[in-house]
Amino acid sequence: MIAIPLEAATGGSQSAAALVFVGRTIAFAIACWIAWRTYRGYERVRAPALLWLALGIALLAAVPTMVRFLIPTITDVTPLTTTLLATSSEIAGLLAILYAVYGRP
């Protein structure tokens, strides 16, 4: 069984921390599913825009969720570093989606 570091949560009860964990897990799963389905669409039709869209969705939703949970759990980096990494991934994801929609991939 995987231990959830609920004692590391600040500013709330353990039940609130558990709800946040469940919410982030659901958001991560949904983002991964959408990115996977988009990638599968790319494999069928070989439209580069779908590949950029899949990458953008992964960078926008799945990667920041993972970064915000894993980085503080397995390392002792500052919250600023974690926020910077997650925000950078979100910006890269938005740029990939913009390229998929408006660019000529």
Side-chain angles (χ1 to χ4, degrees):
M1 184 170 151
I2 298 174
I4 302 170
L6 297 179
E7 65 276 353
T10 58
S13 65
Q14 285 189 351
S15 60
L19 286 174
V20 168
F21 176 77
V22 168
R24 285 190 178 184
T25 302
I26 291 170
F28 176 76
I30 291 170
C32 287
W33 182 76
I34 292 170
W36 174 253
R37 295 289 299 170
T38 308
Y39 178 74
R40 296 291 300 193
Y42 162 74
E43 285 183 334
R44 277 193 302 276
V45 297
R46 294 292 179 197
L50 286 175
L51 184 61
W52 282 99
L53 184 61
L55 177 66
I57 290 168
L59 288 172
L60 180 63
V63 173
T65 300
M66 204 167 47
V67 164
R68 286 188 177 108
F69 179 72
L70 286 181
I71 298 293
T73 302
I74 61 176
T75 66
D76 58 347
V77 299
T78 66
L80 177 63
T81 303
T82 303
T83 301
L84 183 63
L85 289 172
T87 304
S88 298
S89 177
E90 290 169 344
I91 291 169
L94 287 170
L95 289 173
I97 291 170
L98 281 173
Y99 182 64
V101 173
Y102 294 110
R104 296 184 189 265

Short mmCIF file of all heavy atoms in Angstrom, two decimals, residues 36-48 50-51 54:
data_model
loop_
_atom_site.label_atom_id
_atom_site.label_comp_id
_atom_site.label_asym_id
_atom_site.label_seq_id
_atom_site.Cartn_x
_atom_site.Cartn_y
_atom_site.Cartn_z
N TRP A 36 -4.02 10.32 -24.06
CA TRP A 36 -3.86 9.02 -24.70
C TRP A 36 -4.83 8.87 -25.87
O TRP A 36 -4.44 8.42 -26.94
CB TRP A 36 -4.07 7.90 -23.68
CG TRP A 36 -4.05 6.54 -24.30
CD1 TRP A 36 -5.10 5.71 -24.51
CD2 TRP A 36 -2.90 5.85 -24.81
NE1 TRP A 36 -4.70 4.55 -25.11
CE2 TRP A 36 -3.34 4.61 -25.32
CE3 TRP A 36 -1.56 6.17 -24.90
CZ2 TRP A 36 -2.49 3.70 -25.89
CZ3 TRP A 36 -0.71 5.25 -25.47
CH2 TRP A 36 -1.17 4.03 -25.96
N ARG A 37 -6.08 9.25 -25.68
CA ARG A 37 -7.07 9.15 -26.75
C ARG A 37 -6.68 10.06 -27.93
O ARG A 37 -6.84 9.68 -29.08
CB ARG A 37 -8.47 9.52 -26.25
CG ARG A 37 -9.03 8.58 -25.21
CD ARG A 37 -9.40 7.25 -25.77
NE ARG A 37 -10.44 7.47 -26.78
CZ ARG A 37 -10.86 6.55 -27.61
NH1 ARG A 37 -10.36 5.35 -27.57
NH2 ARG A 37 -11.79 6.81 -28.50
N THR A 38 -6.16 11.23 -27.63
CA THR A 38 -5.73 12.14 -28.68
C THR A 38 -4.54 11.56 -29.44
O THR A 38 -4.48 11.63 -30.67
CB THR A 38 -5.38 13.52 -28.10
OG1 THR A 38 -6.47 13.98 -27.30
CG2 THR A 38 -5.12 14.54 -29.18
N TYR A 39 -3.62 10.96 -28.71
CA TYR A 39 -2.47 10.33 -29.35
C TYR A 39 -2.90 9.16 -30.23
O TYR A 39 -2.38 8.97 -31.33
CB TYR A 39 -1.44 9.86 -28.31
CG TYR A 39 -0.27 9.17 -28.93
CD1 TYR A 39 0.71 9.89 -29.61
CD2 TYR A 39 -0.15 7.79 -28.88
CE1 TYR A 39 1.78 9.25 -30.22
CE2 TYR A 39 0.91 7.14 -29.48
CZ TYR A 39 1.87 7.89 -30.14
OH TYR A 39 2.94 7.25 -30.74
N ARG A 40 -3.85 8.37 -29.75
CA ARG A 40 -4.37 7.26 -30.54
C ARG A 40 -5.02 7.79 -31.83
O ARG A 40 -4.92 7.17 -32.88
CB ARG A 40 -5.38 6.43 -29.74
CG ARG A 40 -4.78 5.74 -28.53
CD ARG A 40 -3.86 4.66 -28.91
NE ARG A 40 -4.64 3.68 -29.68
CZ ARG A 40 -4.24 2.48 -29.97
NH1 ARG A 40 -3.07 2.08 -29.57
NH2 ARG A 40 -4.99 1.66 -30.67
N GLY A 41 -5.70 8.93 -31.74
CA GLY A 41 -6.25 9.55 -32.94
C GLY A 41 -5.16 9.95 -33.91
O GLY A 41 -5.30 9.79 -35.12
N TYR A 42 -4.06 10.46 -33.36
CA TYR A 42 -2.91 10.81 -34.21
C TYR A 42 -2.38 9.57 -34.92
O TYR A 42 -2.06 9.62 -36.11
CB TYR A 42 -1.80 11.45 -33.38
CG TYR A 42 -0.47 11.44 -34.08
CD1 TYR A 42 -0.22 12.31 -35.14
CD2 TYR A 42 0.52 10.53 -33.72
CE1 TYR A 42 1.00 12.27 -35.81
CE2 TYR A 42 1.73 10.50 -34.37
CZ TYR A 42 1.97 11.37 -35.42
OH TYR A 42 3.16 11.33 -36.08
N GLU A 43 -2.28 8.45 -34.21
CA GLU A 43 -1.77 7.23 -34.83
C GLU A 43 -2.66 6.75 -35.98
O GLU A 43 -2.16 6.20 -36.95
CB GLU A 43 -1.66 6.11 -33.79
CG GLU A 43 -0.48 6.27 -32.86
CD GLU A 43 -0.37 5.11 -31.90
OE1 GLU A 43 -1.39 4.45 -31.59
OE2 GLU A 43 0.76 4.86 -31.44
N ARG A 44 -3.97 6.96 -35.86
CA ARG A 44 -4.89 6.52 -36.91
C ARG A 44 -4.81 7.40 -38.15
O ARG A 44 -4.78 6.89 -39.27
CB ARG A 44 -6.32 6.51 -36.38
CG ARG A 44 -6.68 5.28 -35.61
CD ARG A 44 -8.17 5.16 -35.38
NE ARG A 44 -8.75 6.29 -34.68
CZ ARG A 44 -8.77 6.46 -33.36
NH1 ARG A 44 -8.20 5.54 -32.60
NH2 ARG A 44 -9.32 7.51 -32.81
N VAL A 45 -4.80 8.72 -37.97
CA VAL A 45 -4.90 9.62 -39.13
C VAL A 45 -3.60 10.34 -39.46
O VAL A 45 -3.51 11.01 -40.48
CB VAL A 45 -6.04 10.66 -38.94
CG1 VAL A 45 -7.37 9.96 -38.85
CG2 VAL A 45 -5.79 11.54 -37.75
N ARG A 46 -2.61 10.23 -38.59
CA ARG A 46 -1.31 10.87 -38.80
C ARG A 46 -1.41 12.37 -39.02
O ARG A 46 -0.67 12.95 -39.82
CB ARG A 46 -0.56 10.23 -39.97
CG ARG A 46 -0.16 8.81 -39.74
CD ARG A 46 0.90 8.74 -38.69
NE ARG A 46 1.26 7.34 -38.47
CZ ARG A 46 1.91 6.92 -37.42
NH1 ARG A 46 2.27 7.78 -36.50
NH2 ARG A 46 2.20 5.67 -37.27
N ALA A 47 -2.32 13.01 -38.30
CA ALA A 47 -2.44 14.47 -38.35
C ALA A 47 -1.54 15.05 -37.27
O ALA A 47 -1.78 14.84 -36.08
CB ALA A 47 -3.88 14.90 -38.14
N PRO A 48 -0.49 15.77 -37.65
CA PRO A 48 0.44 16.31 -36.64
C PRO A 48 -0.23 17.19 -35.59
O PRO A 48 0.23 17.25 -34.46
CB PRO A 48 1.44 17.10 -37.48
CG PRO A 48 1.35 16.54 -38.84
CD PRO A 48 -0.06 16.08 -39.00
N LEU A 50 -2.92 16.64 -34.03
CA LEU A 50 -3.36 15.79 -32.92
C LEU A 50 -2.21 15.42 -32.00
O LEU A 50 -2.39 15.32 -30.78
CB LEU A 50 -4.04 14.53 -33.45
CG LEU A 50 -5.43 14.71 -34.02
CD1 LEU A 50 -5.94 13.41 -34.62
CD2 LEU A 50 -6.39 15.21 -32.96
N LEU A 51 -1.04 15.24 -32.56
CA LEU A 51 0.12 14.95 -31.72
C LEU A 51 0.47 16.14 -30.84
O LEU A 51 0.74 15.99 -29.65
CB LEU A 51 1.31 14.57 -32.61
CG LEU A 51 2.58 14.13 -31.88
CD1 LEU A 51 2.32 12.91 -31.03
CD2 LEU A 51 3.68 13.87 -32.89
N ALA A 54 -2.14 16.36 -28.09
CA ALA A 54 -1.90 15.37 -27.04
C ALA A 54 -0.76 15.82 -26.13
O ALA A 54 -0.86 15.74 -24.90
CB ALA A 54 -1.58 14.01 -27.66
#
